Amino acid sequence: MRTKWFHSGYGKLQRKIFFQIVLMIPGAWFLFFLIYNLLSGKIANGCVRLIQMVLFVDYQDALTIYQFYIRNHMDLYIEIFILLSILLFVYISLSWFIRYFRQIDRGLDALLAGKEIEMSPEMETMERKMNRVQHTLEKRQMEAQLAEKRKDELVMYLAHDIRTPLTSVIGYLSLLHEAPDMPGEQKEKYVQITLEKACRLETLVNEFFEITRYNMQQTSMEREEIDLSYMMMQMADEFYPLLEKNGNQIKLGIPEDLRIQGDAAKLARVFQNLLKNAVSYSTPGTFITVGAEEKEDRIQISFENEGKTIPKEKLAMIFDRFYRLDDARATKTGGAGLGLAIAKEIVLLHGGTITAESQNGKTRFLVALPRISEDGCRLSATE
């Protein structure tokens, strides 16, 4: 029966260590047998001859030396030999094991240095895992650098863009202050322009706040039962002013008795971000369709709008932090490139998934959340 160790990919290492120990045991026994016979007198004549040659004495003197120093203390020598044999056996065994730890140590040094890791054939599994860790760290580092670069570019863009509406607000307010007798029609025009620029300034400041809040957000959740249909109707009303500007409408297709389990505030933020994205990129005069249905152990919520088809290469990055689909559109819509990234993080926190698809001028976002059983408990895919 194969062991768990073998299944983990270290079977080759296990076999090598096993055979090394197997070969060491007969070697130790052979050495012990040889010394024992030497000390016990079975090869005493050879030992005496050796003493005679080394000390340059006659045979009788060599025999006396052998009997006095070796034969009469044989038990002590055997005990010492057994102890030394055990220590030697342990030392050799540890040396073999330490050799693999040295390989791991060199592998960690190569990992820190960003070099390719190479180990002996029996450590192939460890080599593959450490190389995968290295590649994963390199990928994450590149992603972090890219996200930081996008963030820096976004902050520079926002900081630069704030100057324009702020300058306009100060300029028009100065005119109104300096000319109290300004004709009513002209004053109304200046007030309207000032209000528009102030709103734009508020949007940009909110983007700065959004970036800070994203980096400092807490992951704790307060779960409760949520009436999905009622929540979406409330949001449709909240988005009415934005929808009215472009002549868009929200079409809801959610069963009245459909309920989900989760943090209401966080899930509301997910749906708000998805609706805001749909409003920003919808063709004027079209419908934004929001639907929901139960699928096995999940509730799938969809947000679909009509607009430009998103290319596949951009669709793959749409949930990345600080990624904006269209910089030109973002200037007008005020997108900071965080809405979809935040939505994805919240959905994952709820044990769900979020995906996007775009073709034939229609873009659809799908949010799948665990549904609630009759007793109010969340069901997993394994239940």
Side-chain angles (χ1 to χ4, degrees):
M1 182 177 179
R2 293 184 177 182
T3 63
K4 183 178 180 181
W5 179 266
F6 183 85
H7 282 296
S8 66
Y10 294 99
K12 188 181 295 184
L13 176 62
Q14 182 187 29
R15 288 193 296 272
K16 184 163 185 177
I17 293 175
F18 174 76
F19 285 124
Q20 286 174 341
I21 294 174
V22 168
L23 292 174
M24 187 185 298
I25 292 173
W29 275 109
F30 174 76
L31 182 62
F32 176 79
F33 178 79
L34 180 65
I35 300 299
Y36 178 80
N37 282 294
L38 178 64
L39 297 176
S40 62
K42 293 183 179 179
I43 53 174
N45 188 55
C47 187
V48 171
R49 294 292 183 188
L50 180 63
I51 293 173
Q52 186 180 2
M53 292 172 58
V54 172
L55 299 179
F56 301 103
V57 296
D58 57 25
Y59 182 84
Q60 189 61 40
D61 291 337
L63 179 61
T64 302
I65 293 171
Y66 169 77
Q67 290 178 341
F68 184 80
Y69 288 102
I70 298 178
R71 181 66 180 174
N72 295 340
H73 302 88
M74 185 183 68
D75 292 341
L76 176 61
Y77 288 136
I78 289 176
E79 290 175 359
I80 294 173
F81 173 72
I82 291 174
L83 177 61
L84 292 176
S85 298
I86 293 173
L87 293 176
L88 180 63
F89 181 82
V90 171
Y91 177 79
I92 295 174
S93 300
L94 289 176
S95 298
W96 284 345
F97 281 111
I98 290 173
R99 179 177 56 182
Y100 297 116
F101 284 102
R102 289 197 183 108
Q103 289 188 43
I104 295 174
D105 185 64
R106 289 195 298 269
L108 291 173
D109 289 338
L111 181 65
L112 292 173
K115 299 178 181 178
E116 194 71 16
I117 299 166
E118 295 182 0
M119 295 184 177
S120 57
E122 58 268 23
M123 295 289 286
E124 181 182 358
T125 300
M126 178 65 71
E127 177 185 320
R128 287 200 305 267
K129 287 184 177 180
M130 293 184 75
N131 280 318
R132 281 202 300 268
V133 170
Q134 185 183 72
H135 297 155
T136 301
L137 291 175
E138 289 175 353
K139 182 181 177 182
R140 289 180 179 175
Q141 184 178 11
M142 291 178 61
E143 290 175 350
Q145 290 175 349
L146 182 59
E148 191 66 23
K149 181 181 177 182
R150 288 175 180 167
K151 178 181 176 180
D152 291 342
E153 291 174 351
L154 180 64
V155 171
M156 288 176 61
Y157 152 76
L158 292 174
H160 178 270
D161 210 40
I162 278 177
R163 296 178 183 177
T164 302
L166 184 59
T167 301
S168 297
V169 168
I170 295 174
Y172 282 107
L173 287 177
S174 297
L175 288 174
L176 291 170
H177 178 71
E178 293 170 0
D181 298 331
M182 183 183 298
E185 185 178 345
Q186 187 177 8
K187 181 183 292 186
E188 183 180 353
K189 178 182 177 181
Y190 287 177
V191 169
Q192 181 63 33
I193 294 174
T194 303
L195 179 60
E196 290 176 358
K197 298 300 180 181
C199 290
R200 174 58 183 160
L201 185 60
E202 181 189 30
T203 301
L204 294 171
V205 171
N206 286 337
E207 288 191 30
F208 274 115
F209 175 71
E210 187 76 0
I211 293 172
T212 305
R213 183 168 60 174
Y214 181 85
N215 291 332
M216 299 175 62
Q217 62 185 325
Q218 301 296 321
T219 56
S220 59
M221 291 199 307
E222 297 181 4
R223 293 186 179 275
E224 59 181 295
E225 187 176 305
I226 303 167
D227 186 329
L228 185 60
S229 177
Y230 180 71
M231 176 182 279
M232 287 302 177
M233 283 192 291
Q234 282 186 316
M235 288 189 183
D237 292 338
E238 292 172 6
F239 274 85
Y240 179 79
L242 292 176
L243 294 165
E244 187 68 17
K245 289 182 179 179
N246 291 329
N248 297 115
Q249 295 182 48
I250 293 179
K251 184 188 295 184
L252 296 177
I254 302 175
E256 293 184 1
D257 58 344
L258 192 58
R259 297 178 181 275
I260 57 176
Q261 182 91 10
D263 189 305
K266 285 184 170 58
L267 287 177
R269 192 175 182 192
V270 171
F271 303 145
Q272 286 170 351
N273 288 347
L274 292 175
L275 282 173
K276 183 179 179 181
N277 185 78
V279 172
S280 299
Y281 293 98
S282 288
T283 302
T286 59
F287 283 96
I288 296 171
T289 305
V290 181
E293 58 180 329
E294 294 189 59
K295 287 194 172 183
E296 298 179 353
D297 62 331
R298 302 230 152 185
I299 293 177
Q300 183 171 280
I301 308 159
S302 62
F303 297 80
E304 183 176 288
N305 68 279
E306 296 183 26
K308 291 183 179 180
T309 301
I310 303 174
K312 289 184 178 180
E313 63 273 12
K314 291 188 175 182
L315 199 63
M317 299 184 292
I318 203 168
F319 293 104
D320 291 351
R321 289 185 297 171
F322 308 112
Y323 179 78
R324 293 180 298 168
L325 185 63
D326 187 339
D327 287 344
R329 292 288 302 275
T331 301
K332 181 174 65 176
T333 60
L338 281 174
L340 296 180
I342 293 172
K344 180 179 180 180
E345 185 166 314
I346 294 173
V347 171
L348 293 176
L349 193 63
H350 282 78
T353 60
I354 181 170
T355 56
E357 55 188 40
S358 184
Q359 57 184 353
N360 302 324
K362 290 187 177 181
T363 299
R364 183 166 64 159
F365 287 86
L366 298 173
V367 177
L369 297 170
R371 69 179 177 85
I372 306 174
S373 63
E374 293 182 358
D375 59 358
C377 297
R378 191 180 72 168
L379 295 181
S380 65
T382 58
E383 291 178 322

